[in-house]
Amino acid sequence: MTVTHGRPMTAEITDILVAHCGLDADAAARAPAASLEELGMDSLALLELSAVVADRWQVSIPEQAGQLSIPAVADLVTRRADPPGHTENGIVIDAPLALVWEVTNDVANWTELFTEYAVVDILHRDGHTVRFRLTMYPDENGTAWSWVSERTVDPVSRQVRAYRVETGPFEYMRIHWRYTEETGGTRMTWTQDFAMKPTAPVDNAAMTERINTNSVIQLTVIKDRVERIARQRAEQGSPAAGDESTEADDE
């Protein structure tokens, strides 16, 4: 349930309707699924509701709001007041771009690269696209989160785009990885755009904070592991990576 200042949004909307629009609170409590029109809210009441909501949350309510129930209005306000999530995190890895590209796009071996994934199941490959299931290690509650994603690599531009096929608590999750050469090695940048479902245990802002925190941790781990591989290959006199013949190029 979405809350604002510690209170459910439904309660906030109800209070506005009672204080500013003449809603009978008892009638609303007896018929929670009734539309605003059925609760006696006329066009002037809806205009007042719209004005208060716009002032408080900078959200506009459509003219058809009278056909919505109070919970539906609350859900509408929540969706429009909570901007979509967006994160961008990057790190410079002291290794050739070809090696960074090869190792980080070898999805089948992500359990050796990330610390959070327990299992990776490759479901389908088609050219540069791979569909796969990720299963995380159990969290503090013993839940092992799992979902299916699809990922397409572009070995020419050194970019990757992915999205969650099974969205779980997300309405959508889109991911963009970029790789660029610069002084000191290769910069890998992760961008994620998403929105949480109203039924999700956290909102967009909270998930943004979680992703930003976890991305820094995982990027640091990946940097250490890829740089170790680069040193090992240098000591063995092996090439850093095949520029156009890596497994990643076939995903």
Side-chain angles (χ1 to χ4, degrees), residues 32-43 46 49 61-73 76:
S35 69
L36 296 185
E37 290 179 350
E38 291 170 338
L39 291 172
M41 298 295 95
D42 59 17
S43 58
L46 294 176
L49 171 65
I61 294 179
E63 295 180 0
Q64 299 82 3
Q67 301 170 17
L68 302 177
S69 66
I70 294 176
V73 172
L76 175 67

Side-chain angles (χ1 to χ4, degrees), residues 19-247:
H20 299 274
C21 307
L23 174 69
D24 182 334
D26 291 336
R30 289 193 300 268
S35 69
L36 296 185
E37 290 179 350
E38 291 170 338
L39 291 172
M41 298 295 95
D42 59 17
S43 58
L44 290 178
L46 294 176
L47 283 174
E48 185 64 23
L49 171 65
S50 179
V52 176
V53 167
D55 179 66
R56 189 171 299 182
W57 291 290
Q58 291 73 55
V59 169
S60 61
I61 294 179
E63 295 180 0
Q64 299 82 3
Q67 301 170 17
L68 302 177
S69 66
I70 294 176
V73 172
D75 180 59
L76 175 67
V77 173
T78 297
R79 288 171 179 267
R80 295 188 176 184
D82 188 18
H86 173 82
T87 65
E88 182 167 315
N89 294 276
I91 200 166
V92 176
I93 301 173
D94 185 10
L97 186 153
L99 175 62
V100 177
W101 175 265
E102 172 195 343
V103 175
T104 60
N105 286 296
D106 184 5
V107 176
N109 287 310
W110 271 6
T111 54
E112 303 300 319
L113 188 64
F114 293 81
T115 62
E116 58 188 347
Y117 300 140
V119 181
V120 178
D121 293 316
I122 303 299
L123 305 177
H124 181 70
R125 290 184 183 273
D126 182 11
H128 294 306
T129 299
V130 59
R131 180 169 290 201
F132 55 98
R133 175 174 292 280
L134 288 174
T135 303
M136 302 183 74
Y137 286 101
D139 61 17
E140 63 275 8
N141 298 316
T143 302
W145 296 98
S146 180
W147 65 90
V148 172
S149 290
E150 188 165 291
R151 181 178 177 86
T152 301
V153 303
D154 184 344
V156 176
S157 67
R158 298 298 193 187
Q159 297 186 62
V160 183
R161 295 191 181 275
Y163 69 97
R164 283 198 181 196
V165 177
E166 294 179 357
T167 58
F170 295 91
E171 286 192 352
Y172 63 88
M173 165 63 82
R174 295 190 289 268
I175 301 168
H176 182 203
W177 287 18
R178 307 188 306 276
Y179 300 76
T180 55
E181 291 180 299
E182 60 179 62
T183 303
T186 302
R187 177 173 293 279
M188 181 171 63
T189 304
W190 296 349
T191 301
Q192 291 172 269
D193 291 286
F194 60 90
M196 307 305 297
K197 293 177 179 176
T199 54
V202 296
D203 59 15
N204 293 342
M207 182 56 70
T208 296
E209 182 177 355
R210 286 190 183 189
I211 291 175
N212 278 329
T213 298
N214 189 58
S215 292
V216 171
I217 294 171
Q218 295 304 316
L219 283 166
T220 301
V221 169
I222 290 171
K223 170 182 170 69
D224 291 342
R225 292 182 175 181
V226 175
E227 289 179 351
R228 184 166 62 248
I229 293 171
R231 289 193 299 269
Q232 291 171 347
R233 292 195 181 186
E235 291 170 358
Q236 296 168 358
S238 303
D243 287 342
E244 300 298 335
S245 60
T246 67
E247 179 183 354

